[in-house]
């Protein structure tokens, strides 16, 4: 079943279920292509790695598609996990185009939509799409500079074979649910709660998700934004008022959650009571496609090639898929991805001075220190030197919040959701006679820093025993409300 939204009209399209007799099913995953058109003005990304990667994004996606098409046997399906486009809603003069006809007018071809469609529709296996933040154009400060959702829905439908804003389909015994985190208030330019770093889904989609999961089928959930930036309590009138509480209500059928957006390969470990993984981006490396093997009865699944991503990296190794099980290639050749500096292998030998100011090092948005490895514990003593030297202060909390994000596109500092990172931090602060939880709590609640950590009331990463801190309808909406004067407001 697919859901399509054109303005206020809801269209439900029932798709035929697919039944397989094989013992295993295979599902390929691709994420974050970030395709640009000739209208794109190069290069204004946040750092050198991003600038290098964006001009190579189309070629790298083509390579990834060719790799998936060469798999034998072919996967039973492919899921694309969002961000097909990058700056795809502007013309050559940098003006936002909100008229559907502009994108299909031969005068304006090619554009990001036509290029992305040309590449992805070459996939041989049946392909399901979900949508990312770059596939929409929402300007909270200037609603007139936004592209209406109904225009985006028409473009998606036209260029990607009837793909819907969110959808559900069957793959053997499995239910695949593809969500859209751009349909709630944080992505509504007319709302006073508009703030696009956070994902929100809206009451209608949340109720739909609850109904889908209530069927009791083994389910894989796909959503572009990681759960650490899913707002809490967005629909206070509902029994399960946000994405996390709906997933927790049905955790017995949620076999796994896959996200994109952070451009790194992240295994969130025991931060949630079901497996959650964030996929790296083909924009940075064409080896960033992955192959899942699903038991046909819905009992379990495994990612056959997860180890090729080196643990929180932008880049993945080249693997050999010629046999029944993927394995490292014997002749991988040199790394050609846009990986960052220091590289994964150079992390342990890189010397970083103590960070005494938030801009002492360029950090994840800079040019000289942009590590390939995400949430690296090797640099923790230097990055947190100011916090270790005294009680939490604005300077300490600025540094902590900025430099414990999984990537430059990660809004909240959510490395603390990972058990290994939190454990290293806990031991480090204890050694200096301080309590990590108290520091994080003070930075978040006293100094208003967006930090996710286990045990935070109404947070978006859960305690490692699977409980929900601050359960109930509480909201985290540290919502960074963009009023005209740029003031920040909380919604609690």
């Amino acid at each position: 079943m697919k859901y399509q939204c054109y303005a206020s009209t809801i269209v439900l399209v029932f798709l035929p279920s697919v039944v397989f007799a094989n013992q295993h099913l295979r599902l390929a995953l691709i994420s974050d292509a970030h395709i640009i058109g000739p209208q794109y003005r190069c290069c204004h990304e946040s750092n050198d790695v991003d600038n290098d990667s964006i001009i190579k994004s189309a070629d790298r996606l083509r390579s990834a598609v060719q790799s998936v098409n060469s798999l034998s046997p072919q996967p039973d399906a492919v899921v694309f996990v969002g961000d097909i486009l990058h700056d795809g809603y502007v013309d050559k003069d940098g003006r936002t185009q909100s008229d559907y006809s502009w994108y299909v007018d031969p005068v304006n071809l090619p554009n990001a939509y036509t290029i992305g469609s040309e590449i992805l529709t070459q996939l041989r296996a049946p392909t399901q799409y979900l949508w990312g933040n770059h596939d929409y154009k929402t300007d909270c400060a200037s609603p007139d500079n936004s592209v209406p959702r109904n225009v985006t829905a028409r473009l998606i439908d036209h260029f990607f074979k009837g793909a819907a804003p969110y959808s559900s389909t069957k793959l053997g015994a499995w239910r695949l649910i593809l969500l859209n985190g751009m349909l709630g208030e944080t992505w509504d330019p007319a709302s006073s709660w508009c703030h696009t770093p956070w994902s929100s889904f809206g009451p209608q989609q949340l109720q739909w998700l609850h109904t889908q999961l209530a069927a009791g089928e083994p389910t894989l959930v796909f959503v572009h934004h990681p759960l650490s930036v899913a707002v809490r309590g967005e629909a206070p009138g509902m029994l399960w008022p946000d994405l996390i509480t709906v997933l927790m209500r049905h955790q017995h059928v949620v076999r796994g959650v896959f996200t994109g957006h952070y451009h790194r390969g992240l295994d969130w470990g025991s931060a949630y009571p079901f497996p959650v993984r964030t996929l790296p981006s083909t924009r940075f490396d064409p080896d960033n496609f992955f192959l899942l093997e699903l038991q046909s009865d819905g009992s379990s699944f495994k990612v056959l090639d997860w180890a090729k991503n080196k643990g929180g990296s932008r880049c993945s190794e080249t693997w050999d898929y010629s046999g029944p099980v993927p394995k490292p290639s014997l002749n991988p050749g040199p790394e050609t991805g846009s990986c960052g500096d220091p590289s994964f292998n150079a992390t342990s030998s890189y010397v970083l001075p103590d960070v005494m100011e938030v801009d002492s090092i360029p950090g994840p948005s800079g040019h000289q220190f942009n590590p390939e490895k995400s949430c690296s514990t090797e640099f923790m003593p230097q990055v947190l030197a100011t916090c270790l030297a005294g009680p939490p202060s604005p300077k300490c909390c600025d540094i902590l919040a900025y430099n414990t994000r999984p990537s430059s596109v990660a809004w909240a500092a959510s490395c603390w959701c990972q058990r290994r990172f939190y454990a290293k931090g806990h031991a480090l602060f204890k050694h200096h006679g301080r309590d990590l939880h108290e520091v994080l709590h003070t930075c978040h609640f006293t100094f208003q820093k967006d930090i996710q950590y286990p045990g935070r009331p109404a947070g978006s990463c859960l305690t490692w025993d699977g409980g929900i801190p601050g359960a109930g309808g509480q909201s985290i909406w540290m919502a960074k409300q963009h009023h005209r004067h740029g003031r920040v407001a909380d919604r609690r």
Side-chain angles (χ1 to χ4, degrees):
M1 181 171 63
K2 284 192 176 182
Y3 165 97
Q4 292 178 312
C5 178
Y6 302 101
S8 60
T9 303
I10 302 170
V11 182
L12 291 176
V13 182
F14 290 86
L15 300 178
S17 296
V18 185
V19 180
F20 298 85
N22 299 333
Q23 183 179 0
H24 300 115
L25 307 171
R26 287 197 169 184
L27 180 66
L29 305 180
I30 304 174
S31 188
D32 289 88
H34 289 263
I35 297 299
I36 59 174
Q39 298 81 10
Y40 175 80
R41 293 181 172 184
C42 185
C43 289
H44 54 266
E45 305 304 318
S46 59
N47 56 63
D48 285 353
V49 177
D50 287 355
N51 284 328
D52 175 69
S53 64
I54 197 64
I55 61 176
K56 301 174 181 177
S57 60
D59 289 340
R60 286 172 172 169
L61 179 62
R62 285 191 182 94
S63 179
V65 167
Q66 290 170 2
S67 295
V68 172
N69 281 344
S70 68
L71 295 174
S72 182
Q74 272 288 282
D76 298 293
V78 178
V79 174
F80 185 89
V81 191
D83 275 2
I84 293 177
L85 312 178
H86 191 93
D87 283 3
Y89 292 98
V90 295
D91 61 21
K92 61 182 177 61
D93 297 317
R95 296 173 301 195
T96 297
Q97 291 295 328
S98 57
D99 186 348
Y100 169 85
S101 63
W102 184 92
Y103 298 88
V104 296
D105 188 331
V107 173
N108 301 314
L109 305 183
N111 55 53
Y113 262 110
T114 62
I115 296 170
S117 174
E118 179 269 322
I119 299 172
L120 287 169
T121 54
Q122 297 301 311
L123 284 163
R124 294 168 55 194
T127 304
Q128 302 290 319
Y129 299 95
L130 64 90
W131 308 100
N133 55 301
H134 281 279
D135 300 318
Y136 284 79
K137 170 65 172 173
T138 297
D139 187 337
C140 295
S142 179
D144 291 340
N145 195 40
S146 302
V147 175
R149 288 172 178 166
N150 65 320
V151 173
T152 298
R154 287 187 67 194
L155 290 167
I156 288 169
D157 177 65
H158 175 77
F159 285 106
F160 297 96
K161 298 180 178 179
Y166 58 89
S167 63
S168 169
T169 191
K170 288 295 294 290
L171 186 66
W174 291 82
R175 171 69 59 184
L176 308 182
I177 294 179
L178 284 65
L179 298 175
N180 189 324
M182 284 68 65
L183 297 183
E185 282 192 83
T186 59
W187 280 80
D188 180 358
S191 171
S192 61
W193 296 108
C194 186
H195 185 56
T196 57
W198 295 98
S199 64
S200 57
F201 300 83
Q204 189 173 32
Q205 186 178 186
L206 292 172
Q207 182 59 49
W208 174 88
L209 174 61
H210 166 64
T211 302
Q212 292 288 312
L213 295 174
E217 299 168 312
T219 300
L220 293 178
V221 175
F222 301 88
V223 58
H224 181 69
H225 290 87
L227 299 184
S228 56
V229 291
V231 297
R232 299 295 301 274
E234 63 166 298
M238 298 179 65
L239 184 58
W240 299 288
D242 51 58
L243 174 62
I244 289 178
T245 52
V246 175
L247 295 177
M248 289 295 295
R249 167 63 179 82
H250 299 283
Q251 61 180 280
H252 59 291
V253 300
V254 177
R255 298 287 188 266
V257 177
F258 289 88
T259 77
H261 188 55
Y262 281 1
H263 304 162
R264 311 291 189 104
L266 299 171
D267 184 343
W268 293 87
S270 51
Y272 304 94
F274 32 73
V276 178
R277 296 193 185 186
T278 295
L279 303 172
S281 164
T282 60
R283 163 183 167 179
F284 294 88
D285 189 346
D287 288 315
N288 284 335
F289 64 92
F290 294 87
L291 190 61
L292 276 61
E293 184 175 84
L294 287 63
Q295 292 289 336
S296 59
D297 62 0
S299 58
S300 63
F301 77 92
K302 56 185 175 181
V303 186
L304 296 176
D305 49 359
W306 186 254
K308 72 178 183 180
N309 181 262
K310 295 164 282 186
S313 174
R314 290 184 183 91
C315 293
S316 295
E317 298 169 345
T318 300
W319 275 32
D320 177 1
Y321 289 82
S322 61
V325 178
K327 60 184 178 181
S329 174
L330 296 178
N331 300 292
E335 176 60 71
T336 60
S338 304
C339 305
D341 182 45
S343 68
F344 188 91
N345 292 330
T347 298
S348 59
S349 60
Y350 189 94
V351 178
L352 178 70
D354 286 351
V355 179
M356 307 311 295
E357 302 283 347
V358 70
D359 56 357
S360 293
I361 56 172
S365 297
H367 302 287
Q368 65 194 64
F369 182 74
N370 196 345
E372 173 183 2
K373 187 178 181 182
S374 177
C375 297
S376 175
T377 59
E378 288 87 344
F379 302 116
M380 188 180 288
Q382 293 78 32
V383 168
L384 299 180
T386 299
C387 293
L388 295 170
S393 64
K395 182 184 295 187
C396 152
C397 294
D398 280 346
I399 295 170
L400 185 150
Y402 186 73
N403 288 291
T404 61
R405 298 182 295 162
S407 76
S408 59
V409 295
W411 180 253
S414 54
C415 286
W416 302 105
C417 296
Q418 299 183 27
R419 182 190 288 269
R420 63 169 181 82
F421 194 87
Y422 190 96
K424 174 66 179 288
H426 174 76
L428 185 63
F429 275 88
K430 184 177 181 180
H431 178 73
H432 286 77
R434 310 199 58 76
D435 183 272
L436 171 61
H437 185 85
E438 290 182 3
V439 172
L440 295 173
H441 194 82
T442 300
C443 287
H444 176 68
F445 287 101
T446 301
F447 297 110
Q448 301 290 288
K449 300 301 176 183
D450 288 300
I451 305 171
Q452 297 289 349
Y453 53 93
R456 180 192 133 178
S460 291
C461 68
L462 309 183
T463 56
W464 292 314
D465 64 4
I468 304 179
Q474 298 183 70
S475 169
I476 64 167
W477 291 70
M478 287 279 310
K480 296 297 202 252
Q481 181 52 8
H482 280 201
H483 294 298
R484 289 184 180 178
H485 302 293
R487 302 297 297 171
V488 174
D490 292 346
R491 178 174 177 175
R492 303 209 184 274

